Amino acid sequence: MIVCKSPAELELMYHANQVVATVRDEVVARVAPGVSTGELDAYAEARVRELGGEPAFKGYRGFPGTLCVSLNEEIVHGIPSTKKRLAPGDILGIDLGVRLEGYYGDSAITVPVGAVEPEVDRLLRVTEASLRAAISQCLPGNRVGDISAAVQRYVEEQGFSIVRDFVGHGIGKALHEDPQVPNFGDPGVGPRLRPGMVLAIEPMVNMGAPGVEVLDDGWTAVSVDRRPSAHFEHSVAITEEGPWVLSLAEQSVAASTLGN
Ligand code: MG
Ligand code: MG
């Protein structure tokens, strides 16, 4: 069942997502060689709580962190650790979920650590642009398949591959609600988009093969060929006026390229 939110509920979801956006971008600003993913996680948890929210991932099916931090070949769900330090040339996926006033917000970004190889930089830009293509399909009357197809078409045109083992999702009073939002599929199929729906759209793009393997920690998903992978996510409300990107930080440099 897909839950449509009232305008008042969308406002609350905007609040939750603005905490996500603020903390996400503050974490991004702290990404540097030598910093550990555990330090970034401790910072994020303290800031989420300071802003009145609760980390959404911490304790979710036993996940230990506030952030999912996914380095290089890690696709999603990497576990923060004070032993894992960033090095120049790495890319780091940062995924943050927050609960505030009974509603969830969810967003992710992948950033370079210092200078990265040109092809790795292109992977980041293509993945971010595929999210932008997805958001432009978030119009009443369109279908979920239109979002899926927009991501797949753009990414495959650019010569990269779509991860199929994980998908985007509805979001609201629960972190994961219906519908599922795959990053692949045909246009014109799936549930019809209606005002009040909120979707967490999250393309995961591999430089090489699309296959996924989960490491022995039970969480960290890596590309099967160990080549780099990128992940971007926004929580987007469907409105009569067009897509409302709830997790876009209006004044954030990191997120400004995702504005419409
Ligand atoms: Mg997320
Ligand atoms: Mg999500």
Side-chain angles (χ1 to χ4, degrees):
M1 184 194 58
I2 301 175
V3 181
C4 288
K5 284 77 180 175
S6 69
E9 288 180 294
L10 290 185
E11 202 56 47
L12 293 175
M13 293 198 68
Y14 177 73
H15 295 167
N17 275 288
Q18 286 302 296
V19 171
V20 171
T22 299
V23 176
R24 176 198 64 211
D25 293 346
E26 289 179 8
V27 169
V28 166
R30 281 161 177 76
V31 167
V35 173
S36 77
T37 59
E39 290 165 49
L40 295 175
D41 188 67
Y43 177 84
E45 179 171 1
R47 280 296 282 150
V48 165
R49 294 193 190 282
E50 207 167 84
L51 295 170
E54 280 169 59
F57 305 157
K58 195 161 185 151
Y60 181 87
R61 297 184 186 168
F63 188 80
T66 291
L67 301 174
C68 293
V69 280
S70 305
L71 259 179
N72 300 325
E73 74 276 10
E74 297 172 358
I75 301 165
V76 287
H77 306 159
I79 297 173
S81 165
T82 51
K83 290 179 193 133
K84 227 172 197 182
R85 294 196 178 274
L86 305 178
D90 284 344
I91 54 171
L92 181 68
I94 297 164
D95 192 351
L96 174 62
V98 167
R99 185 168 179 268
L100 180 78
E101 300 171 308
Y103 290 86
Y104 284 90
D106 192 4
S107 176
I109 188 169
T110 303
V111 295
V113 183
V116 299
E117 286 172 30
E119 188 66 352
V120 173
D121 185 59
R122 194 171 75 86
L123 176 70
L124 300 187
R125 285 185 287 110
V126 165
T127 308
E128 185 177 26
S130 76
L131 175 54
R132 208 155 48 226
I135 291 169
S136 71
Q137 294 297 321
C138 290
L139 303 169
N142 276 3
R143 292 182 183 271
V144 168
D146 297 319
I147 297 172
S148 307
V151 174
Q152 182 176 16
R153 191 184 317 122
Y154 183 76
V155 166
E156 291 182 350
E157 266 171 21
Q158 299 295 320
F160 296 136
S161 60
I162 293 286
V163 171
R164 286 166 166 74
D165 298 58
F166 304 100
V167 296
H169 50 95
I171 182 167
K173 284 185 180 171
L175 178 59
H176 298 119
E177 296 185 351
D178 289 339
Q180 293 199 342
V181 186
N183 298 302
F184 56 93
D186 296 322
V189 302
R192 201 174 282 284
L193 305 181
R194 300 184 193 286
M197 285 184 188
V198 184
L199 304 176
I201 303 171
E202 46 182 319
M204 287 149 265
V205 176
N206 287 358
M207 185 180 283
V212 171
E213 202 176 302
V214 175
L215 299 184
D216 288 342
D217 62 19
W219 281 104
T220 312
V222 300
S223 62
V224 75
D225 58 10
R226 302 302 192 269
R227 294 182 72 196
S229 183
H231 178 214
F232 284 76
E233 177 180 29
H234 269 307
S235 296
V236 183
I238 312 299
T239 80
E240 297 287 5
E241 290 75 41
W244 182 13
V245 185
L246 302 173
S247 52
L248 185 67
E250 315 288 349
Q251 288 154 358
S252 150
V253 173
S256 64
T257 53
L258 284 161
N260 290 298

